[in-house]
Structures are given as C-alpha cells and as structure tokens.
C-alpha cells in the first residue's frame, strides 16, 4: 500500500496554503503562520548467528525498522504523512509486517469548534473498551483507520465525534467497515455551582459497529455413510453476523482530590477465531477510584471482561486487527528482570483484574523522610479467570465435554457460554504481583532506589505451557551526580524462582558525560543456560552501549546479546527472539 | 445549530446496528463433497503446544469420511518460539528440516497448517472448508506410489525401503516444472504432549509425525517423458533412532509422496503408502 500521492498532495496543498497572500475571509494573520514538524526514528541491527541462545537465521546483513514523519500545521489546518521502511524488519515481527511505503497520511481542518479529518487517524472512545486505534512500534501495532472523522466542540460542555473507515493491517486494509460515534457531556460546564464546589462530572456514551462480509471458509465437515456403508463427506458452512455492534457508557466524577470512573461496554454476537466461533454477547465493566494530593496518591481499580476481543477481521490471530483495547491492570515494569514474566490481557474467555497502587512521600527533615525526603510506593495486581457457565443448549449436546477435553471447535456455532452471573469468579489465577518501592535521596549528590517484587505468572495461560511461575525479585539502583559534568548510575537485580529457567542476575553501570555522552554496560546472567562450547561456562547476555545526545538528536550504538522473551505494552505482548550483534538507534524530533 | 449537532449521536445510535442469528439459522445447507483427489495437510505442531492436540483431533475428524484421501503430516517445530518441541530431550519429535520449514513458511504460532499449500498458513478452524474444496478438485496429476521393504537390519538401521512413484498428467503440461517430494512419517509414537488443560500426557500417541525428507527440502524436479509420464525412484535407509534418542518402529512408518507446481507451489496430488505392508490399521 503506497499513499505517496496522497502524502505529496497533502504537503503540497499545505505549502500552497502557506504561500497564499490572502488570509481567511476574516483577515486573520494566524492563517499564514505555518509550522513544519517532523520526527525520525530508526532502529538497526547487524545480526550475528548464535546457536547457543537461539537466534533466528537471516540472509540480511542488516535489519531495520525506520519511520519518518512530517507535518505542516497552522491555526486551522494540519497535514501529515509518515514513511515507514520495514522491508528488512527487526526479528520477531509477523511476516506481513515486512514492507515499505506511506501508510499514514491525513489532512485535518478545524474552525469554530468543528474539526474534520480525512485520511488516516487514531482515536479512542472512553477507556478504549470498544474503540481504540493506536500505534505501538515496539509491538508492530498500528491499527489506524483510513476514512473520515468529525469532532464537534461547538457547544459548551458537549463533545461529539463521528468516524468511519477501514482498518489498517500492516500493508493492507481489512475489508470490513468500522464506524462509530462518541458523545461526552461535561455537566460541570452547565452547572457552575459544581465548579464552585470543585466538582466535575462527565458522562459519556459510544457506539461502534463493524460490518464484515461472510467468510465462506468457516464451517465443518460431517462424516456419514451412504446406503451401501461407504463413507461420505458433507460440508456445512457457518453463517456469521455481518454487523457486530457495540456500545459503551461511562461516568467520570472528580471532586477535589478524588476521582471515580465507572464504565460498561457490551458487544453483540461476534463469532471469531478468538472465541471458537461461538455466538455470545461480550461484556466489560471497569471501576476505578483514586486520590491524589501533593506527597500522596492512591489508586484502586477493578475490571471484569467476557469475550471482548473485537477485531475488524474475525478470522485474524496474533496482535493485528483489534478495534478495541482493554486496559492492562498490571504495572508497566522497566527494570529488566521484572519484565521476564509479563502478563498479556486475556480477552477471551475473559478475566477479573484488580489493581491497587499507593505512594507516600515522607517530607524532608522528618524522622522517616530524612534530610531530603523519602518516597515509598506499593502496588498490587491480581488477575484471575471469570466464571464461564455453560449455555443449556451446549451442556446437553455433549459437545461441552469435548470442549473440556480441549477441542476448542466443539462449541462452533453454539452460544458457548450463557450470560450468567457476571460477578462470579473462576478458580484459576492468571497473574499476581506485589511490589514495594523505596526512593531516597541519601545526600546532595546520591539517590538510592530499592525495589522488591513478588510475581505469580501462569505461563500456561499466557504462553501455552510452563505452569505457574513464582518469582521474587530484588532491585537496587543508585544514581550519583559526581559533579555538574559527570554522573554515574548502577543497577543490581536478582530474580529467584524454583520454576522455569530458575534464577537470574542483572547488573548495569552507566556513566554520563553531560550533556552529550552516556556509556552503558550491562550483563544478564542465568546459571542454567549452558554455553554449548563450554558446558561449565554460563551464558552472559552482555550489552555495551554509547549514547550521544545533541539538542533533538539522539544516537545510540551498542553491541551485545539479548535473551528471547516477551515485549509487552498495555497488556499486549510480542515474542522477541534472541538477538546478537551490533545495534543502533537514532531519533530526531523537530 | 445546537439541535443539528445533538442529532449526531442520535443518528449514530440509530445507524449502529447488529445482526443476531438464532441458533437454528447458523448453519448453511449440507453440501456433499465428491472426492476427486487426495489432499495434503501440513500441520505445524509442537509437544509443548496446548492447542495442538485440538488441531490433531480436527485432522482426525476431517479424515473420517474421506477414506484416506486426506493425508496429514505433523511437523514438530518451533525452536524457541511460543510452543516448541523438546528436540533435545528424550522422545523429542522436532527435526532440523521441520524447523527449516517452520522458518521458511513464517509460522508464528502453533498450531498452524497448510492445505495443499493453497492459501498459505491457516488456523485450524478453516481446515474443514479449504480441505473440502481441495478434495473436490479435478486432479491435474495422477500418482501411484509403491514401496518394498528389505528388512536386513543392522545395529543402527531397520533395513531399506525401495520407493517408486509413477506420475501421469491429467492436464497437459502439468508435470512441467513440477517437483516430487518424498517424506518419511511415523505414527503411533508414544511421547509427551502438553494438553489443553495444561497437564502433560506422557502417554500421548502421536500420529503421522514427519521424521525425514528423502528428496531435497522442496522436492526434486520431475523429468517427464514425451507422453507426459514420469517415474521417480529412491532408496531410504531406515534408522532405528532419530535425534538423540527418538526410537522408531518401522511397522508404523510410511512414505508420503506429493508433487508440487513449482518448487514451493501448490500441491497437485499426494499419495501415502506404508513402508511395511500390513493389515493393521492406524488409530
């Protein structure tokens, strides 16, 4: 898919507008002030084979994911386009990810509260339970819509959106049409007394429909015998609903330091590969409460979801073609060993998820705060199965017993599970994590961070095998500002588990020569991953990296090995195979 | 203006709709499948893959009613990917050639399958439909596969299998630029398998497992005579052990022969024959 012409037309039109001598009919000089913006991101790997760690073989001497985005903006018009080059992609992306072109281009105009977009766009309704299009390059996700969007902010306290289009899947568009609308009403704009009492209430409602033609390749073979006893085969196709509708309602209340959100979404019959082609209603409920003030914050939230995988192509697998995105209820971890067991949201059959986080800063010059203050954070996440009661027509058919034995096609064409007690929980734990974080400035130049995590990770549910992994992780990080020019940072991490690959160590030292240079060396080491060349020598996943920063330019070049694992963001994960070689990364924003 | 703007969400709600299909309207008419050719299913699978037994069961269901026309080969592979076979452990069923196929075809999740290499990789819910369509096609090529077994065993081998494939064109020129592939499979292998409920079944019986490839990986170019026929012969020494310790039973081994249009093209015809002739029937 190449939208070079569209991109060029958009940029030329913007340039022509910029050079126009006459301003708008209102004679507004803002019309003439154009800004040219852009961003470049390029990640390159010069790979080396390493059988010990299991690198993927490749014929290419270099692999790269490169993105160049350009835009023209003034007060009323915005146009942009993005060139993507993934013809020789980094390891671990889906085969269809390979390609290059201009898959993203748009023109947007806004005037007196009306904003109209034509081309490719991203958007989200509420928390994304029925609609969220976004880009996440590290996962290879870009599910943008190509079509049109109208946003109306013309009435005080009311925000309306209507959009429609076809969804991008790598270098193609899925055949289905996706269209929807969203309305948000900020009641505090209508009732000034609410604002006087520091209260804000927003009500929202959304609708999204996917229209997709029949997939003639979904059906079943039926083996029978003719009158002579000879085997005979029949094929029976499954009729799928061509329109799948969904709605979302939400209320968001803020009062002083408190904030509460309640959101419910529902989706009509949507038989798909994800759910084994059953005809069941999908539902999701999200409740969240938080308190925040200077020096203290607290968050608690719960989510229940059933069969809420909503794709623009019902037969699709892996990470592409999702119309919605259920928020992850687990902490996004940044320390290396804490990311070895990341949880991926289970859209089907669904899950219960709970999360609580709190932080408190002991003030400086107090007994617990010390001279410079101390911050302590605690977080807890728990995800488990929801109950999935069997529909009556399924339970009596006998197919349910085949389903229990593992035949996911046994419920083909049935309701599968009835919409029973939404609140009841299932027995199986999917993920649990508890962490405590201590952040303390020891002296004027030295800061210490200590962290402890306990994780329980159901590897069978998330990855398909492996059982329940229980891990304890200890992390220590120290930052020393030596002087105005030099800084030193060091990390030490240790993961202990009796399961899977057992214990891991990680160490990192980073030396900064401000403002331009940073030198980093790190090593991740597991006692049980044997080096084939020397069975007594354990594999070291070492990395050495030099980073140079100059204004908006950032270039890092390094060499080393990376272990195979999962890269996750927002509950969506991509398997990344082991890598070894020279890596470089460049970003530039203007 | 305000009224017009507020009509937008109402109109959107009115336009948004959904189809609801009652339980008695979900299935189309039963259409008989007239079997005219054999069909090859390449099932990329793994011993630690929890959904793979479901795919194997799907193959078994598909084979019922086809009287041997649906020929399956289980390619255990995946390396360090999502679901992988334990090639380095006892009774590991993965092979180097299977890993190569896995990488070449871009398999990203297990189970995945190809039906006659038509339409690329398919998840198993589509196998029934695609297989039914392929079974009903007029075959471009006819094949006759015969094997003979010389059971002169040694310490490392069971003996030799003599294989002969005779091909003829139903469509003129079908064998031009065609490639003959000979694979060795084995059934009734008892080895561990992770089940859909996460448990390990150490006594799982694996069927039609790819053990070896006799021809080059993507086949040998067929040399035709002027009358559009071709004959390909091969001799295969049958090992007693594959990998580190995966023992074989020649009684349950078979040759799968298939001819493709081009080196990696669609499969035009497939045949299967046991190495050792027997009246015993497979599971």
């Amino acid at each position: 898919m190449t939208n070079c012409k569209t991109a060029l037309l958009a940029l030329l039109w913007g340039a022509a507008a910029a050079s126009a001598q006459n301003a708008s009919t209102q004679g507004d000089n803002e019309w003439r002030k154009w800004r040219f913006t852009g961003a470049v991101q390029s990640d390159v790997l010069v790979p080396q084979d390493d059988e010990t760690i299991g690198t993927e073989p490749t014929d290419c001497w270099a692999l790269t994911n490169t993105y160049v985005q350009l835009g023209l903006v003034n007060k009323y018009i915005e146009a942009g386009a993005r060139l993507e080059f993934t013809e020789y992609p980094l390891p671990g992306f889906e085969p269809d990810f390979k390609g290059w072109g201009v898959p993203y281009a748009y023109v947007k105009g806004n005037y007196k509260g009306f904003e109209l977009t034509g081309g490719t766009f991203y958007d989200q309704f509420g928390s994304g339970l029925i609609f969220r299009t976004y880009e996440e390059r590290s996962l290879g996700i870009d599910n943008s819509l190509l079509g049109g969007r109208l946003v109306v902010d013309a009435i005080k306290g009311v925000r309306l959106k209507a959009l429609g289009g076809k969804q991008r899947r790598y270098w193609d568009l899925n055949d289905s049409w996706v269209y929807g609308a969203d309305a948000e009403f900020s009641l505090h704009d209508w009732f000034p007394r609410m604002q006087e009492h520091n209260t804000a209430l927003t009500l929202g409602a959304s609708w999204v429909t996917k229209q997709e033609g029949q997939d003639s390749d979904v059906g079943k073979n039926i083996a029978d015998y003719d009158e002579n006893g000879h085997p005979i085969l029949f094929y029976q196709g499954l009729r799928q609903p061509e329109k799948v509708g969904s709605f979302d309602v939400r209320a968001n209340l803020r009062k002083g330091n408190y904030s509460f959100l309640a959101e419910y979404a529902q989706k009509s019959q949507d038989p798909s590969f994800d759910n084994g082609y059953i005809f069941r209603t999908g539902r999701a409920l999200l409740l969240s409460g938080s308190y925040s003030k200077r020096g203290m914050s607290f968050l608690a939230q719960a989510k229940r979801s059933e069969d809420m995988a909503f794709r623009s192509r019902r037969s699709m697998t892996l990470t592409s073609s999702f119309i919605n995105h259920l928020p992850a209820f687990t902490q996004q971890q940044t320390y290396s060993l804490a990311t070895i067991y990341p949880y991926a949201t289970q859209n089907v059959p669904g899950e219960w998820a709970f999360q609580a986080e709190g932080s408190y800063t002991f003030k400086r010059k107090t007994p617990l705060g010390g001279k410079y203050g101390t911050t302590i954070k605690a977080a807890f996440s728990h995800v488990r199965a929801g109950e999935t009661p069997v529909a009556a027509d399924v339970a009596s058919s006998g197919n349910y017993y085949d389903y229990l034995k593992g035949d996911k096609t046994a419920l083909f064409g049935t309701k599968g599970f009835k919409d029973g007690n939404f609140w009841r929980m299932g027995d199986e734990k999917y993920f649990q994590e508890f962490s405590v974080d201590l952040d303390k400035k020891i002296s004027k130049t030295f800061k210490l961070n200590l962290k402890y995590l306990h994780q329980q990770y159901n590897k069978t549910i998330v990855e398909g095998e492996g059982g329940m992994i229980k891990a304890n992780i200890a992390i220590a990080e120290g930052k020393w500002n030596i002087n105005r020019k030099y800084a030193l940072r060091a990390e030490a991490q240790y993961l202990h588990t009796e399961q899977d690959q057992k214990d891991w160590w990680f160490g990192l030292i980073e030396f900064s020569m401000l403002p331009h240079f940073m030198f980093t060396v790190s090593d991740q080491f597991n006692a049980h991953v044997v080096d084939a060349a020397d069975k007594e020598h354990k594999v070291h996943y070492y990395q050495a990296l030099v980073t140079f920063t100059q204004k908006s330019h950032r270039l890092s070049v390094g060499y080393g090995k990376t272990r195979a694992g999962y890269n996750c963001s927002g509950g969506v994960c991509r398997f990344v195979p082991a890598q070894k070689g020279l890596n470089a990364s460049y970003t530039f924003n203007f | 203006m305000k009224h017009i703007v507020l009509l937008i969400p109402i109109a959107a709600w009115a336009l948004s709709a959904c189809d609801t299909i009652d339980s008695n309207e979900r299935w189309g008419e039963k259409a008989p499948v007239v079997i005219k050719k054999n069909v090859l299913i390449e099932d990329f699978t793994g011993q630690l893959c929890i959904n793979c037994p479901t795919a194997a069961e799907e193959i078994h269901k598909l084979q019922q009613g086809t009287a041997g026309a649906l020929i399956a080969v289980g390619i255990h592979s995946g390396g360090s990917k999502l679901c992988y076979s334990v090639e380095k452990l006892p009774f590991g069923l993965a092979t180097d050639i299977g890993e190569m196929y896995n990488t070449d075809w871009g398999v990203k999740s297990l189970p995945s399958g190809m039906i006659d290499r038509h339409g690329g990789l398919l998840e198993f819910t589509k196998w029934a439909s695609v297989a039914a369509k392929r079974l009903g096609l007029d075959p471009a090529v006819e094949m006759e596969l015969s094997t003979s077994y010389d059971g002169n065993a040694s310490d490392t081998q069971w003996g030799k299998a003599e294989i002969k494939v005779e091909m003829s064109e139903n469509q003129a020129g079908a064998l031009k630029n065609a490639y003959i592939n000979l694979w060795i499979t084995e059934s009734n292998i008892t080895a561990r398998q992770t089940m859909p409920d996460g448990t390990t079944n150490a006594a799982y019986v694996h069927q039609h497992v790819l053990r070896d490839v006799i021809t080059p990986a993507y086949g040998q170019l067929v040399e035709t005579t002027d009358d559009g026929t071709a004959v390909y012969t091969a001799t295969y020494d049958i090992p007693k052990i594959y990998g580190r310790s995966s023992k074989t039973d020649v009684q349950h081994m078979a040759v799968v022969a298939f001819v493709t249009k081009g080196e990696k093209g669609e499969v035009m015809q497939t045949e299967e024959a046991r190495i050792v002739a027997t009246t015993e029937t497979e599971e």
Side-chain angles (χ1 to χ4, degrees):
Chain A
M1 179 176 79
T2 307
N3 285 326
C4 292
K5 286 184 184 174
T6 312
L8 281 171
L9 279 171
L11 291 172
L12 284 171
W13 183 82
S19 64
Q21 292 303 304
N22 290 322
S24 70
T25 53
Q26 294 184 332
D28 186 350
N29 286 333
E30 291 293 324
W31 163 258
R32 298 185 186 184
K33 292 181 184 174
W34 288 90
R35 263 189 312 123
F36 183 55
T37 66
V40 176
Q41 179 183 338
S42 182
D43 298 298
V44 179
L45 172 70
V46 181
Q48 287 180 285
D49 287 338
D50 189 330
E51 279 189 17
T52 305
I53 63 174
T55 55
E56 280 187 349
T58 176
D59 295 330
C60 302
W61 71 270
L63 305 170
T64 181
N65 292 0
T66 296
Y67 305 84
V68 178
Q69 185 153 341
L70 301 174
L72 270 175
V73 184
N74 80 355
K75 187 179 178 184
Y76 298 111
I77 298 166
E78 183 181 324
R82 182 171 66 231
L83 168 72
E84 297 182 11
F85 185 82
T86 54
E87 182 65 21
Y88 308 103
L90 298 175
F93 290 89
E94 293 183 32
D96 292 343
F97 182 76
K98 180 182 160 78
W100 74 276
V102 182
Y104 176 78
Y106 71 96
V107 175
K108 181 161 70 176
N110 72 84
Y111 185 70
K112 289 193 172 180
F114 285 79
E115 179 190 282
L116 182 65
T117 306
T120 323
F121 57 89
Y122 304 100
D123 209 322
Q124 178 171 330
F125 293 165
S127 302
L129 300 183
I130 63 171
F131 186 82
R132 181 182 180 215
T133 55
Y134 65 108
E135 186 196 15
E136 180 58 62
R137 291 178 189 172
S138 63
L139 300 179
I141 290 176
D142 186 335
N143 61 348
S144 55
L145 285 193
L146 174 67
R149 175 183 61 183
L150 174 66
V151 180
V152 179
D153 270 320
I155 305 170
K156 185 180 176 186
V158 179
R159 184 182 175 108
L160 304 171
K161 287 183 192 174
L163 50 81
K166 291 196 169 191
Q167 188 171 49
R168 178 188 176 188
R169 183 184 177 270
Y170 300 122
W171 300 99
D172 280 311
L173 297 172
N174 283 332
D175 290 336
S176 63
W177 286 94
V178 177
Y179 43 90
D182 180 76
E184 274 195 353
F185 304 94
S186 303
L187 300 191
H188 49 278
D189 285 338
W190 296 349
F191 303 103
R193 286 200 70 179
M194 289 180 75
Q195 294 185 38
E196 290 167 16
H197 287 89
N198 203 7
T199 302
L201 175 64
T202 304
L203 304 177
S206 315
W207 301 268
V208 175
T209 297
K210 175 202 63 167
Q211 184 151 3
E212 183 182 5
Q214 292 289 319
D215 187 342
S216 62
D217 283 341
V218 180
K220 62 184 178 185
N221 287 350
I222 302 165
D224 207 341
Y225 295 91
D226 64 13
E227 61 270 13
N228 298 317
H230 297 138
I232 189 169
L233 193 69
F234 291 93
Y235 174 75
Q236 204 172 19
L238 182 74
R239 287 200 190 99
Q240 308 115 50
E242 294 193 357
K243 276 189 184 175
V244 177
S246 63
F247 73 86
D248 172 291
V249 290
R250 56 196 182 268
N252 193 338
L253 173 69
R254 279 182 292 112
K255 177 146 179 75
N257 297 332
Y258 293 90
S259 177
F260 301 97
L261 169 69
E263 189 166 349
Y264 176 78
Q266 191 165 307
K267 175 169 68 84
S268 66
Q269 287 176 349
D270 186 17
S272 65
F273 176 78
D274 285 323
N275 65 13
Y277 291 95
I278 62 174
F279 288 70
R280 183 193 189 195
T281 303
R283 298 182 286 181
L285 175 69
L286 197 157
L287 299 170
S288 175
S290 67
Y291 174 83
S292 173
K293 76 172 189 182
R294 187 184 168 87
M296 184 168 82
S297 69
F298 182 75
L299 165 75
Q301 47 188 13
K303 178 186 72 174
R304 170 74 173 111
S305 64
E306 276 182 346
D307 204 357
M308 280 300 287
F310 192 15
R311 300 201 199 226
S312 58
R313 196 195 292 190
R314 63 174 78 82
S315 62
M316 195 46 61
T317 59
L318 301 177
T319 57
S320 74
S321 306
F322 277 101
I323 298 170
N324 68 339
H325 174 255
L326 269 60
F329 267 42
T330 55
Q331 265 205 317
Q332 189 81 24
Q333 300 292 349
T334 54
Y335 291 108
S336 294
L337 297 190
T339 62
I340 287 185
Y341 300 116
Y343 178 71
T345 305
Q346 303 300 303
N347 291 320
V348 177
E351 61 184 25
W352 267 108
F354 301 92
Q355 187 179 24
E357 286 177 17
S359 77
Y360 188 83
T361 301
F362 296 96
K363 291 180 185 171
R364 43 199 281 264
K365 297 178 182 174
T366 58
L368 288 173
K371 191 176 178 184
Y372 299 99
T374 302
T375 300
I376 185 161
K377 295 177 193 170
F380 176 76
S381 300
H382 177 88
V383 187
R384 69 186 306 113
E387 192 201 49
T388 48
V390 185
D393 62 328
V394 171
S396 61
S397 70
N399 287 347
Y400 182 58
Y401 299 101
D402 290 333
Y403 179 85
L404 287 178
K405 285 189 290 185
D407 183 358
K408 293 284 190 285
T409 63
L411 303 185
F412 230 58
T414 68
K415 192 167 181 182
F417 307 102
K418 61 183 179 184
D419 300 324
N421 190 335
F422 188 66
W423 306 103
R424 206 171 286 151
M425 295 186 197
D427 293 329
E428 192 153 22
K429 188 189 298 182
Y430 291 168
F431 181 81
Q432 182 166 296
E433 182 180 82
F434 170 71
S435 68
V436 175
D437 208 312
L438 184 77
D439 215 337
K440 186 170 180 64
K441 194 169 180 182
I442 305 294
S443 70
K444 208 173 176 182
T445 57
F446 185 72
K447 194 175 177 186
L448 181 67
N449 180 255
L450 300 174
K451 187 163 188 164
Y452 165 76
L453 299 98
H454 172 74
Q455 293 178 333
Q456 292 183 25
Y457 174 76
N458 192 326
K459 197 163 184 247
T460 301
I461 289 292
V462 181
E463 299 182 31
E465 52 85 22
M468 181 65 83
I469 314 291
K470 295 182 183 179
N472 291 291
I473 306 167
I475 298 165
E477 180 187 9
K479 294 179 195 171
W480 179 27
N481 291 325
I482 303 168
N483 54 36
R484 279 176 182 268
K485 204 172 172 195
Y486 301 115
L488 188 68
R489 187 174 76 89
E491 279 180 30
Q493 305 177 28
Y494 174 64
L495 181 151
H496 169 69
T497 177
E498 297 289 330
Q499 298 85 32
D500 198 43
Q501 292 183 308
K502 302 208 173 48
D503 297 2
W504 288 90
W505 290 91
F506 177 84
L508 177 147
I509 293 177
E510 185 178 275
F511 179 68
S512 300
M513 291 171 60
L514 302 166
H516 297 303
F517 285 98
M518 193 161 68
F519 303 90
T520 311
V521 289
S522 66
D523 189 15
Q524 188 168 321
F525 168 74
N526 180 291
H528 300 274
V529 179
V530 177
D531 186 325
D534 174 2
K535 293 195 189 322
E536 295 305 312
H537 180 71
K538 310 300 187 285
V539 172
H540 287 261
Y541 291 92
Y542 53 82
Q543 281 276 341
L545 196 69
V546 178
T547 305
F548 172 75
T549 308
Q550 170 76 23
K551 291 186 180 175
S552 301
H553 299 272
R554 187 176 187 277
L555 172 68
S556 66
V557 180
Y559 179 82
K561 298 183 193 179
T562 311
R563 64 175 282 278
Y566 284 89
N567 177 13
C568 295
S569 177
V572 181
C573 298
R574 175 179 74 89
F575 180 78
V576 182
Q579 297 172 34
K580 179 183 174 183
L582 182 75
N583 55 81
S585 180
Y586 172 69
T587 59
F588 172 49
N589 295 283
F590 59 93
Chain B
M1 166 67 95
K2 285 185 186 179
H3 301 296
I4 294 170
V5 165
L6 286 171
L7 278 174
I8 292 175
I10 297 168
W13 172 79
L15 288 169
S16 71
C18 56
D19 293 339
T20 301
I21 302 181
D22 287 337
S23 56
N24 57 356
E25 294 173 349
R26 290 173 191 161
W27 292 103
E29 296 293 320
K30 272 168 48 170
V33 177
V34 178
I35 298 170
K36 296 181 183 175
K37 72 182 275 296
N38 293 342
V39 167
L40 175 69
I41 295 184
E42 292 168 270
D43 170 26
F44 288 94
T45 185
Q47 286 173 270
L48 299 185
C49 160
I50 61 170
N51 289 321
C52 290
T54 304
E57 183 60 31
E58 178 68 13
I59 289 174
H60 179 67
K61 282 199 284 187
L62 290 175
Q63 286 178 320
Q64 288 177 312
T66 66
L70 210 62
I71 297 167
V73 179
I75 303 172
H76 286 251
S77 57
S80 61
K81 295 190 178 84
L82 180 61
C83 295
Y84 58 92
S85 294
V86 285
E87 195 267 338
K88 293 188 173 71
L89 296 177
F91 298 111
L93 300 177
T95 58
D96 289 340
I97 190 88
E99 291 287 351
M100 190 198 83
Y101 288 141
N102 182 297
T103 303
D104 281 0
W105 292 111
V107 176
K108 286 294 178 188
S109 65
L110 299 180
S112 285
M114 288 194 292
I115 313 286
D116 270 356
R117 295 187 180 170
H118 171 82
L121 287 165
L122 302 169
E123 37 88 357
F124 62 85
T125 51
K126 293 205 166 187
W127 291 357
S129 162
V130 177
K133 287 174 187 169
R134 296 294 297 180
L135 285 165
L137 292 178
D138 293 318
V141 170
E142 292 293 352
M143 279 170 58
E144 207 172 301
L145 171 66
S146 57
T147 61
S148 64
Y149 174 59
D150 171 10
N152 212 353
S154 68
D155 286 341
T156 57
Q157 292 174 7
W158 290 116
K160 286 185 198 300
E162 299 289 341
I163 303 160
K164 183 178 178 183
V165 185
E166 294 172 87
M167 294 161 274
S168 61
E169 295 176 337
N170 285 341
Q171 296 171 11
L175 284 175
K176 190 178 175 186
N177 197 36
Y179 282 74
I180 179 71
N181 294 259
L182 292 183
W183 287 3
I184 300 294
T185 65
E186 185 177 349
S187 295
N188 278 28
I189 302 174
T190 300
R192 65 169 288 177
Q193 174 67 50
T194 302
M195 303 306 290
D197 60 2
T199 60
T200 298
N201 182 353
Y204 186 86
V205 180
H206 296 263
Q207 304 294 346
H208 39 72
V209 174
L210 177 69
R211 287 300 215 174
D212 205 352
V213 173
I214 299 174
T215 52
Y218 289 104
Q220 181 69 47
L221 183 66
V222 172
E223 293 177 10
T224 54
T225 58
D226 291 337
D227 60 355
T229 62
V231 176
Y232 184 83
T233 59
T235 303
Y236 181 69
D237 297 321
I238 306 162
K240 285 187 172 175
I241 289 178
Y242 285 106
R244 273 182 53 186
S245 57
S246 185
K247 295 176 185 175
T248 63
D249 182 348
V250 68
Q251 302 292 331
H252 297 297
M253 294 177 81
V255 178
V256 172
F258 60 95
V259 61
T260 61
K261 193 188 302 184
E263 200 174 5
K264 275 186 171 183
E266 286 190 1
V267 176
M268 292 189 282
Q269 184 62 278
T270 309
E271 285 291 343
E272 183 179 29
R274 299 280 286 271
I275 288 178
V276 177
T278 176
T279 55
E280 177 187 332
T281 54
E282 299 289 359
E283 283 281 319

